[in-house]
Coordinates of all heavy atoms in Angstrom, one line a residue:
Y192 N 4.0 9.1 -15.9 CA 3.9 7.8 -15.3 C 4.0 6.7 -16.5 O 3.5 7.0 -17.6 CB 2.6 7.6 -14.5 CG 2.6 8.3 -13.2 CD1 2.2 9.6 -13.1 CD2 3.0 7.7 -12.0 CE1 2.2 10.3 -11.9 CE2 3.1 8.3 -10.8 CZ 2.6 9.6 -10.7 OH 2.6 10.3 -9.5
S193 N 4.5 5.6 -16.2 CA 4.7 4.6 -17.2 C 3.5 3.6 -17.0 O 3.4 3.0 -15.9 CB 6.0 3.9 -17.1 OG 6.1 2.8 -18.0
E194 N 2.7 3.3 -18.0 CA 1.6 2.4 -17.9 C 2.1 1.0 -17.8 O 3.0 0.6 -18.5 CB 0.6 2.6 -19.0 CG -0.6 1.7 -18.8 CD -1.7 1.9 -19.9 OE1 -1.5 2.8 -20.7 OE2 -2.7 1.2 -19.9
T195 N 1.6 0.2 -16.9 CA 2.1 -1.1 -16.6 C 0.9 -2.1 -16.5 O -0.1 -1.8 -15.9 CB 2.9 -1.2 -15.3 OG1 3.9 -0.1 -15.3 CG2 3.5 -2.5 -15.1
Y196 N 1.1 -3.3 -17.0 CA 0.1 -4.4 -16.8 C 0.9 -5.4 -16.0 O 1.9 -5.9 -16.4 CB -0.3 -4.9 -18.1 CG -1.3 -6.1 -17.9 CD1 -2.6 -5.9 -17.7 CD2 -0.8 -7.5 -18.1 CE1 -3.5 -7.0 -17.6 CE2 -1.6 -8.5 -17.9 CZ -2.9 -8.3 -17.6 OH -3.8 -9.4 -17.5
A197 N 0.3 -5.8 -14.8 CA 1.0 -6.7 -13.9 C 0.0 -7.7 -13.4 O -1.3 -7.5 -13.5 CB 1.6 -5.9 -12.8
P198 N 0.4 -8.8 -12.7 CA -0.6 -9.8 -12.2 C -1.5 -9.3 -11.2 O -1.2 -8.4 -10.4 CB 0.4 -10.8 -11.7 CG 1.7 -10.6 -12.3 CD 1.8 -9.2 -12.5
Y199 N -2.7 -9.9 -11.2 CA -3.8 -9.7 -10.3 C -3.7 -10.6 -9.1 O -4.3 -10.4 -8.1 CB -5.2 -9.8 -10.9 CG -5.6 -8.7 -11.8 CD1 -4.7 -7.8 -12.4 CD2 -6.9 -8.6 -12.1 CE1 -5.1 -6.8 -13.2 CE2 -7.4 -7.6 -13.0 CZ -6.5 -6.7 -13.6 OH -6.9 -5.7 -14.4
M200 N -2.8 -11.6 -9.2 CA -2.7 -12.6 -8.1 C -1.2 -12.7 -7.8 O -0.3 -12.8 -8.6 CB -3.2 -14.0 -8.6 CG -4.7 -14.0 -8.9 SD -5.3 -15.7 -9.3 CE -4.6 -15.8 -11.0
L201 N -0.9 -12.7 -6.4 CA 0.4 -12.7 -6.0 C 0.7 -13.7 -4.9 O -0.2 -14.2 -4.2 CB 0.7 -11.2 -5.3 CG 0.6 -10.0 -6.3 CD1 0.8 -8.8 -5.6 CD2 1.5 -10.1 -7.5
R202 N 2.0 -14.0 -4.8 CA 2.5 -14.9 -3.8 C 2.5 -14.3 -2.3 O 2.4 -13.1 -2.3 CB 3.8 -15.5 -4.1 CG 3.8 -16.4 -5.3 CD 5.3 -16.7 -5.7 NE 5.4 -17.7 -6.8 CZ 6.5 -18.2 -7.3 NH1 7.7 -17.8 -6.8 NH2 6.5 -19.1 -8.2
D203 N 2.7 -15.1 -1.4 CA 2.8 -14.7 0.0 C 3.8 -13.6 0.2 O 3.6 -12.5 0.8 CB 3.1 -15.8 1.0 CG 1.9 -16.8 1.1 OD1 0.9 -16.5 0.5 OD2 2.1 -17.7 2.0
E204 N 5.0 -13.8 -0.4 CA 6.2 -13.0 -0.2 C 5.9 -11.6 -0.8 O 6.4 -10.6 -0.3 CB 7.5 -13.6 -0.7 CG 7.4 -14.0 -2.1 CD 7.1 -15.6 -2.3 OE1 6.3 -16.0 -1.5 OE2 7.7 -16.2 -3.1
A205 N 5.2 -11.5 -1.9 CA 4.9 -10.2 -2.5 C 3.9 -9.5 -1.6 O 4.0 -8.2 -1.5 CB 4.3 -10.4 -3.9
M206 N 2.9 -10.1 -1.1 CA 1.9 -9.5 -0.3 C 2.6 -9.1 1.1 O 2.3 -8.0 1.6 CB 0.7 -10.4 0.0 CG -0.2 -10.6 -1.1 SD -0.9 -9.0 -1.6 CE -2.6 -9.5 -2.1
Y207 N 3.6 -9.9 1.5 CA 4.3 -9.5 2.7 C 5.1 -8.2 2.4 O 5.3 -7.3 3.2 CB 5.2 -10.6 3.2 CG 6.1 -10.3 4.3 CD1 5.7 -10.4 5.6 CD2 7.4 -9.9 4.1 CE1 6.5 -10.1 6.7 CE2 8.2 -9.5 5.1 CZ 7.8 -9.7 6.4 OH 8.7 -9.3 7.4
G208 N 5.7 -8.1 1.2 CA 6.6 -7.1 0.9 C 5.9 -5.7 1.0 O 6.6 -4.7 1.3
V209 N 4.6 -5.6 0.7 CA 3.9 -4.3 0.7 C 3.2 -4.1 2.0 O 2.4 -3.1 2.2 CB 3.0 -4.1 -0.5 CG1 3.8 -3.9 -1.8 CG2 2.0 -5.2 -0.7
G210 N 3.3 -5.0 3.0 CA 2.7 -5.0 4.3 C 1.3 -5.4 4.3 O 0.6 -5.2 5.4
Q211 N 0.8 -6.1 3.3 CA -0.6 -6.7 3.4 C -0.6 -7.9 4.3 O -1.6 -8.2 5.0 CB -1.1 -7.1 2.0 CG -1.4 -5.9 1.1 CD -2.6 -5.1 1.6 OE1 -3.5 -5.6 2.2 NE2 -2.6 -3.8 1.3
L212 N 0.5 -8.7 4.3 CA 0.6 -9.8 5.2 C 1.7 -9.6 6.2 O 2.7 -8.9 5.9 CB 0.9 -11.1 4.4 CG -0.1 -11.6 3.4 CD1 0.4 -12.9 2.7 CD2 -1.4 -12.0 4.1
P213 N 1.5 -10.1 7.4 CA 0.5 -11.0 7.9 C -0.8 -10.3 8.4 O -1.8 -10.9 8.6 CB 1.2 -11.8 9.0 CG 2.1 -10.8 9.6 CD 2.6 -9.9 8.4
K214 N -0.7 -9.0 8.6 CA -1.7 -8.3 9.4 C -3.1 -8.2 8.8 O -4.1 -8.3 9.5 CB -1.1 -6.8 9.7 CG -2.1 -6.0 10.6 CD -1.4 -4.7 11.0 CE -2.3 -3.9 11.9 NZ -2.5 -4.6 13.2
F215 N -3.2 -8.2 7.5 CA -4.5 -7.9 6.8 C -5.0 -9.1 6.0 O -5.8 -9.0 5.1 CB -4.4 -6.7 5.9 CG -4.0 -5.4 6.7 CD1 -2.7 -4.9 6.5 CD2 -4.8 -4.8 7.5 CE1 -2.3 -3.8 7.2 CE2 -4.5 -3.7 8.3 CZ -3.3 -3.2 8.1
A216 N -4.6 -10.3 6.5 CA -5.0 -11.5 5.7 C -6.5 -11.7 5.6 O -7.0 -12.1 4.6 CB -4.4 -12.7 6.4
E217 N -7.2 -11.3 6.7 CA -8.7 -11.4 6.7 C -9.4 -10.5 5.8 O -10.5 -10.7 5.4 CB -9.2 -11.3 8.1 CG -9.1 -9.9 8.7 CD -9.9 -9.8 10.0 OE1 -10.3 -10.8 10.5 OE2 -10.0 -8.6 10.5
D218 N -8.7 -9.4 5.3 CA -9.3 -8.5 4.4 C -9.0 -8.8 2.9 O -9.4 -8.1 2.0 CB -8.7 -7.0 4.7 CG -9.3 -6.5 5.9 OD1 -10.5 -6.7 6.3 OD2 -8.5 -5.9 6.7
L219 N -8.3 -9.9 2.7 CA -7.9 -10.3 1.4 C -8.7 -11.6 0.9 O -9.1 -12.3 1.7 CB -6.4 -10.6 1.3 CG -5.4 -9.5 1.8 CD1 -4.0 -10.0 1.9 CD2 -5.5 -8.3 0.8
F220 N -8.7 -11.7 -0.4 CA -9.2 -13.0 -1.0 C -8.0 -13.9 -1.4 O -7.1 -13.4 -2.1 CB -10.1 -12.7 -2.2 CG -11.4 -12.1 -1.9 CD1 -11.7 -10.8 -2.1 CD2 -12.4 -12.9 -1.2 CE1 -12.9 -10.2 -1.8 CE2 -13.6 -12.3 -0.9 CZ -13.9 -11.0 -1.2
K221 N -8.1 -15.2 -1.1 CA -7.1 -16.1 -1.4 C -7.7 -17.2 -2.3 O -8.7 -17.7 -2.0 CB -6.5 -16.7 -0.1 CG -5.2 -17.6 -0.3 CD -4.6 -18.0 0.9 CE -3.2 -18.6 0.7 NZ -2.6 -19.0 2.0
T222 N -6.9 -17.5 -3.4 CA -7.3 -18.6 -4.3 C -7.0 -20.0 -3.8 O -6.2 -20.1 -2.8 CB -6.6 -18.4 -5.7 OG1 -5.3 -18.7 -5.5 CG2 -6.8 -17.0 -6.2
T223 N -7.6 -21.0 -4.3 CA -7.4 -22.3 -4.0 C -5.9 -22.8 -4.2 O -5.4 -23.7 -3.7 CB -8.3 -23.3 -4.6 OG1 -8.2 -23.1 -6.1 CG2 -9.8 -23.1 -4.1
S224 N -5.3 -22.0 -5.1 CA -3.9 -22.3 -5.4 C -2.9 -21.7 -4.5 O -1.6 -21.8 -4.6 CB -3.5 -21.9 -6.9 OG -3.6 -20.4 -7.0
G225 N -3.4 -20.9 -3.5 CA -2.6 -20.2 -2.6 C -2.1 -18.8 -2.9 O -1.5 -18.2 -2.1

Side-chain angles (χ1 to χ4, degrees):
Y192 287 87
S193 175
E194 186 173 355
T195 307
Y196 177 81
Y199 285 17
M200 295 184 288
L201 299 178
R202 292 177 172 176
D203 288 2
E204 53 266 37
M206 287 299 216
Y207 175 85
V209 291
Q211 290 292 330
L212 291 178
K214 188 173 179 61
F215 301 107
E217 67 172 7
D218 289 321
L219 304 171
F220 287 110
K221 191 173 187 179
T222 68
T223 55
S224 65

